[in-house]
């Protein structure tokens, strides 16, 4: 009984955690990034972690947009609950959902909420319930570019849409010149770079363009890249590598790729008083305005991609953990509740902003905690 009490609320003072290349905000896809956002920073200690009943291995898989957060959470959690091994396979949102509906993982990570057909599929695994979406981490999708001599580039949604739709082809196009008075833009070709595989990041990028540039972006927001032209690359690591290496290129990826590789990022003219930079703080302002569109225990969010609020960066994604509301595998349930309970805790959320993420707003996160505690 004494040992059980000790395990129940074990506080672990996790020392200075050197955040390496494995701890970068990555995109939805199999990414092996080098370098590190926030090198030398310390992760917060995992305190008051509920370990009782958690033991053995917990398998999870899916979006690598949250991989850095997972790396931090897993290290801190396993230091507090030494009897548990968390194995999160960073692959893609689609692969994570497939693993979940096949019953091979305790939970999945996805940059997009479950579709109705995926909810129906989940009922085969969640014998007495269904899959639900729990928002756990958010962050900005940055647009990085390689244009020597231009360190302050402003674009708006229509210009971004036309660039990635192969309609604006030169850097000194009048639409870009108008947005950047006084900036010397070269008469050179634009090389846009996009994700080659299915990607939740691509889907969220498409959601933004579909809302903020509806007249210029007519594609459905899907995981597969829809537009003609451009260069495909594997994962956000591949997109960032292309932008880093190729002069005149532009691509979209999570913020930490830009910060770790010193890639300049576009400020977005949203219609607010000043163009908005891609920062965790500015992304948080946009996520704070999100509305819950899910029903019951499902907390899928609706984001305002066309926001004009001052300082709100509109191109954001929210990554969900997907679990059964009931009918979870009894062999993994205790581990799922324990681990996700830590991720949604104050300590788990506080470490996010240090590494390029935007914590989930308190009002929504309090609901996430309640639902995790009630999983069965």
């Amino acid at each position: 009984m004494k040992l059980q009490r000790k395990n129940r609320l074990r506080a672990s003072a996790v020392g200075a955690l050197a955040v390496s290349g494995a701890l970068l905000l990555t995109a939805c896809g199999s990414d092996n990034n080098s370098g590190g956002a926030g090198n030398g920073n310390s992760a917060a200690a995992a305190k008051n972690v509920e370990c009782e009943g958690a033991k053995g291995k917990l398998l999870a898989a899916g979006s690598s947009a949250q991989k850095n957060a997972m790396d931090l959470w897993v290290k801190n959690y396993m230091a507090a609950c030494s009897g548990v091994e968390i194995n999160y396979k960073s692959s893609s949102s689609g692969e994570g959902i497939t693993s979940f509906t096949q019953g091979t993982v305790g939970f999945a990570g996805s940059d997009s909420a479950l579709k109705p057909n995926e909810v129906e599929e989940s009922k085969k695994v969640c014998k007495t319930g269904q899959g639900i979406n729990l928002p756990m981490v958010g962050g900005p999708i940055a647009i990085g570019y390689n244009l020597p001599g231009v360190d302050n580039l402003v674009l708006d949604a229509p210009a971004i849409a036309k660039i990635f739709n192969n309609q604006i082809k030169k850097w000194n196009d009048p639409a870009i010149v108008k947005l950047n008075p006084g900036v010397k833009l070269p008469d050179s070709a634009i090389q846009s770079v996009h994700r080659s595989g299915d990607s939740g990041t691509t889907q969220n990028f498409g959601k933004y363009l579909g809302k903020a540039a509806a007249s210029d972006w007519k594609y459905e927001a899907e995981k597969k890249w829809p537009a003609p032209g451009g260069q495909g690359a594997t994962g956000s690591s591949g997109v960032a590598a292309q932008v880093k290496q190729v002069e005149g290129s532009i691509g979209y990826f999570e913020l930490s790729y830009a910060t770790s590789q010193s890639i300049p990022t576009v400020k977005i003219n949203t219609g607010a008083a000043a163009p908005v930079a891609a920062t965790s703080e500015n992304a948080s302002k946009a996520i704070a305005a999100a509305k819950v569109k899910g029903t019951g225990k499902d907390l899928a969010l609706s984001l305002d991609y066309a926001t004009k609020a001052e300082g709100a960066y509109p191109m954001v994604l929210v990554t969900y953990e997907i679990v059964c509301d009931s009918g979870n595998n009894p062999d993994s349930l205790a581990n799922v509740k324990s681990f996700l309970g830590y991720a949604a805790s104050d300590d788990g959320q506080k470490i996010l902003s240090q590494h390029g993420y935007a914590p989930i707003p308190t009002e929504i996160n309090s609901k996430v905690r309640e639902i995790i505690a009630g999983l069965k």
Side-chain angles (χ1 to χ4, degrees), residues 256-271:
S256 65
Y257 282 99
T259 55
S260 67
Q261 299 187 44
S262 300
I263 299 173
T265 59
V266 168
K267 292 180 180 178
I268 298 180
N269 182 338
T270 64

Side-chain angles (χ1 to χ4, degrees), residues 135-211:
M136 199 67 72
V137 59
I141 300 173
I143 298 180
Y145 64 96
N146 184 335
L147 208 56
V150 179
D151 55 11
N152 187 15
L153 182 68
V154 176
L155 296 174
D156 59 11
I160 295 168
K162 291 174 183 176
I163 288 171
F164 283 91
N165 199 26
N166 204 34
Q167 292 174 308
I168 290 180
K169 301 181 180 183
K170 289 283 190 84
W171 279 109
N172 64 348
D173 185 277
I176 301 178
V177 171
K178 184 177 180 180
L179 290 163
N180 295 273
V183 177
K184 188 175 181 180
L185 295 163
D187 181 25
S188 58
I190 297 174
Q191 174 63 66
S192 65
V193 188
H194 58 262
R195 294 283 292 273
S196 58
D198 288 2
S199 161
T201 307
T202 292
Q203 187 171 37
N204 281 278
F205 184 52
K207 288 178 181 178
Y208 163 73
L209 292 176
K211 293 292 185 181

Side-chain angles (χ1 to χ4, degrees), residues 234-253:
T234 302
S236 281
S237 58
V239 176
Q242 280 286 99
V243 173
K244 180 73 173 178
Q245 296 167 10
V246 179
E247 188 172 324
S249 60
I250 187 170
Y252 59 93
F253 36 79

Side-chain angles (χ1 to χ4, degrees), residues 86-158:
I86 310 294
N87 186 341
Y88 181 84
K89 180 184 177 183
S90 173
S91 52
S92 70
S93 297
E95 290 180 50
I97 291 171
T98 297
S99 296
F100 177 74
T101 56
Q102 291 177 345
T104 60
V105 295
F107 70 89
S110 176
D111 301 338
S112 299
L114 290 170
K115 295 179 179 179
N117 66 301
E118 292 169 336
V119 174
E120 286 302 311
E121 287 183 47
S122 74
K123 293 178 181 179
K124 299 173 185 177
V125 176
C126 310
K127 302 297 184 182
T128 59
Q130 65 181 43
I132 57 173
N133 305 282
L134 300 179
M136 199 67 72
V137 59
I141 300 173
I143 298 180
Y145 64 96
N146 184 335
L147 208 56
V150 179
D151 55 11
N152 187 15
L153 182 68
V154 176
L155 296 174
D156 59 11

